[in-house]
Amino acid sequence: DGYDLVEVYGWEPRVSVVPTWTVAPSQTKALTDVRSAAFDPATSAVLQSDPGITASPPIVAPFSASFPSATYLEFDPEHIRLDVTAANPSIVVVRNSYDAGWSATVDGHPAPVLPTDYLMQGVPVGPGHHIINLTYRDAAVINGLKASAAAWGALLAAFLGALLIELRATRRSKRTASDPANGSALE
């Protein structure tokens, strides 16, 4: 149907831990850097803002701890959990499209989600084992839900107000119809 399936050799996993990074001064420079033949997404990341941590020389550690690891668990497209081990301060590169609606916690504490490798997500972590939770909240959807709730609330208030007015009018007409002083009592 006009499509070709192409196998890409040397692809990176959905999430990885990289111990080195650079900060590009602009989006254009970030794109230029990741398109460079010298760029290796397995070992480095290109960020578009300061991660708030400083890279350090590799720590000599036991063989099993010297390799970073990361696992990706998606509960649904808006809730992701990453189980990460890093030997050094690192950037956890998540190969999902970056959007300002993403927020992260590292071990239960808020952490930045940074534009990484031009269009991916990155979360800075220190050395050690970490649980990262990524959550997506679209402000437009939340504002739409708030506006809908306000509209439904106003509609309910109008309905209840009309019902109350109708009940009062019915009671008033019954009282007037049965008041002997009015001369209109039914016999």
Side-chain angles (χ1 to χ4, degrees):
D1 294 328
Y3 294 96
D4 291 327
L5 180 62
V6 178
E7 185 173 353
V8 177
Y9 296 99
W11 57 271
E12 292 302 315
R14 187 76 180 263
V15 61
S16 61
V17 181
V18 296
T20 59
W21 62 88
T22 58
V23 178
S26 69
Q27 229 179 359
T28 304
K29 177 68 170 133
L31 179 58
T32 302
D33 289 353
V34 298
R35 293 183 67 208
S36 164
F39 176 68
D40 180 6
T43 60
S44 184
V46 176
L47 307 176
Q48 289 175 232
S49 61
D50 181 13
I53 60 174
T54 304
S56 65
I59 297 171
V60 177
F63 183 77
S64 62
S66 64
F67 291 97
S69 67
T71 57
Y72 182 99
L73 177 61
E74 185 174 297
F75 297 105
D76 57 59
E78 293 87 21
H79 299 97
I80 298 164
R81 178 184 163 158
L82 308 172
D83 192 340
V84 174
T85 301
N88 300 300
S90 300
I91 302 299
V92 178
V93 179
V94 184
R95 289 172 180 86
N96 288 342
S97 296
Y98 172 81
D99 186 272
W102 284 99
S103 63
T105 61
V106 175
D107 302 327
H109 303 286
V113 179
L114 307 170
T116 303
D117 295 351
Y118 182 68
L119 65 126
M120 306 295 177
Q121 302 170 356
V123 178
V125 296
H129 178 262
H130 305 285
I131 300 296
I132 300 172
N133 287 298
L134 288 165
T135 305
Y136 185 73
R137 297 278 186 257
D138 188 348
V141 170
I142 292 170
N143 290 339
L145 290 172
K146 287 178 183 177
S148 293
W152 279 107
L155 219 78
L156 180 61
F159 174 75
L160 291 174
L163 185 62
L164 184 61
I165 291 169
E166 181 64 29
L167 286 173
R168 285 183 180 168
T170 303
R171 284 185 193 152
R172 197 173 306 131
S173 68
K174 283 184 181 179
R175 267 187 271 139
T176 304
S178 64
D179 185 4
N182 232 355
S184 59
L186 298 175
E187 296 185 26

